[in-house]
Amino acid sequence: MQVENLYFEYDNGGFALKNISVNFGRGEKIAVIGSNGSGKSTFFLNLNGVLRNHHSHGKIIYDGIEINKKNLNMLRSKVGIVFQEPDNQLIASTVDSEVSFGPLNLGLSEEEAEQRVLDALREMNIEELREKMVHHLSGGQKKRVTIADIIAMNPEIIIFDEPTASLDPLNCEMFEETLKKLDDKNITVIISTHDIDFVWRWAERVIVFHDGEIIADSTPEQIFMDDDLLKKTHLKKPALLEVCLTLQEKKIIQNNQYVRSVFEFKKMFK
């Protein structure tokens, strides 16, 4: 997927996005970070086609095809988005009707749509919720249903906007297990988050937004070692990176030796 010179203009003439150009490869694990109001959510809604209107200028190209009004549904079938608040995404009364809505609107047969629903519910480990009323579910269950919504569409790219913002530690752990399953399927995952420690632990690539622009796009190591960038965007170093830098200063570990998880950290001292 390619984005070329994308702008998004407010009604008052200001710009939420300014000259965004970026490519996404298959199976990438990408974190998008930046302060509130930096343009991340607006960018996501353009990637999914929700905000592709007269306020948008620039190209979005998918599989070599430039997206326009006629093929917008193709983009939406390939790029799924999971919103921060589940209630903003859930529209049906039961879990079954909710998860089947997307596949049926793709024009699939009832049999194929039902199989997509079963597979998605199984992926999210919520098969027992199939006949439940959506408004009776807990916040964590609703979040898993919204992810099942997108999985049932069989997308190639899934976007998560602040996915762990309202989740407790158990549901955060379950969400990371879901990410591992998506990685196994070679699905491109793009996540907006303020959880810097999660970014350090999970992402292979980090894109930094500031004032509607992409000002950095690199590996987590390069992003979080750039003190000028962190100061400009009011970001902090991840805790494990701070620990590694301290250990390097104390000559306990080698320079440029970093770990991404507590598990890796423990292995260093075995």
Side-chain angles (χ1 to χ4, degrees):
M1 184 180 193
Q2 295 89 43
V3 179
E4 297 181 0
N5 308 117
L6 176 65
Y7 289 80
F8 187 83
E9 189 174 2
Y10 292 120
D11 287 329
N12 64 10
F15 286 94
L17 300 176
K18 308 169 189 175
N19 198 27
I20 301 294
S21 294
V22 64
N23 295 343
F24 301 114
R26 192 67 191 267
E28 284 195 283
K29 297 157 63 176
I30 304 165
V32 177
I33 60 177
S35 60
N36 289 334
S38 60
K40 304 186 300 297
S41 294
T42 303
F43 176 61
F44 285 172
L45 293 173
N46 272 268
L47 288 184
N48 178 250
V50 174
L51 291 181
R52 294 299 291 165
N53 54 37
H54 66 282
H55 292 288
S56 298
H57 314 282
K59 295 181 181 179
I60 292 181
I61 301 168
Y62 200 96
D63 283 343
I65 300 171
E66 184 175 347
I67 301 303
N68 54 42
K69 291 182 179 179
K70 293 181 179 179
N71 58 24
L72 197 54
N73 285 338
M74 182 274 285
L75 178 69
R76 291 172 179 169
S77 71
K78 298 292 187 181
V79 183
I81 183 168
V82 179
F83 295 103
Q84 179 177 347
E85 296 296 335
D87 288 332
N88 293 339
Q89 185 165 342
L90 299 170
I91 58 174
S93 57
T94 67
V95 171
D96 180 72
S97 57
E98 173 66 34
V99 181
S100 63
F101 180 83
L104 289 173
N105 275 273
L106 289 177
L108 303 179
S109 66
E110 289 189 12
E111 293 78 12
E112 189 173 355
E114 181 176 2
Q115 188 59 53
R116 290 271 194 101
V117 171
L118 288 172
D119 290 343
L121 295 178
R122 192 175 298 117
E123 284 282 337
M124 295 309 302
N125 196 27
I126 52 173
E127 295 166 274
E128 76 282 359
L129 300 181
R130 185 173 184 180
E131 303 302 325
K132 296 287 188 181
M133 302 296 290
V134 169
H135 67 272
H136 287 163
L137 302 179
S138 68
Q141 289 172 330
K142 286 180 179 180
K143 177 70 77 172
R144 289 155 70 189
V145 171
T146 61
I147 299 173
D149 274 353
I150 302 304
I151 291 175
M153 298 283 285
N154 197 24
E156 295 177 353
I157 297 175
I158 298 182
I159 298 168
F160 293 93
D161 194 359
E162 293 290 343
T164 61
S166 58
L167 296 183
D168 59 28
L170 176 60
N171 278 294
C172 285
E173 187 175 331
M174 295 175 71
F175 173 69
E176 292 199 40
E177 288 298 322
T178 298
L179 293 179
K180 291 177 183 177
K181 294 177 182 179
L182 298 178
D183 188 37
D184 291 340
K185 291 184 173 184
N186 203 32
I187 293 174
T188 303
V189 176
I190 307 171
I191 298 179
S192 166
T193 181
H194 291 290
D195 187 344
I196 296 303
D197 292 314
F198 166 77
V199 173
W200 181 253
R201 182 168 65 248
W202 173 80
E204 298 172 339
R205 176 182 172 191
V206 180
I207 296 174
V208 183
F209 269 75
H210 181 70
D211 194 25
E213 299 179 90
I214 291 176
I215 62 169
D217 181 354
S218 192
T219 64
E221 289 88 351
Q222 290 179 310
I223 294 295
F224 291 115
M225 289 296 291
D226 187 336
D227 291 331
D228 291 336
L229 175 66
L230 298 184
K231 184 178 180 179
K232 179 177 182 178
T233 55
H234 306 290
L235 296 170
K236 295 182 178 180
K237 283 183 169 61
L240 272 177
L241 176 57
E242 292 276 25
V243 170
C244 289
L245 291 172
T246 300
L247 293 176
Q248 290 172 23
E249 289 176 5
K250 301 294 185 182
K251 309 297 183 184
I252 296 173
I253 63 175
Q254 297 178 357
N255 288 339
N256 299 318
Q257 186 177 0
Y258 305 109
V259 293
R260 294 290 197 90
S261 68
V262 173
F263 175 75
E264 291 179 1
F265 182 75
K266 289 179 178 178
K267 284 180 63 177
M268 291 174 65
F269 299 98
K270 284 188 176 180

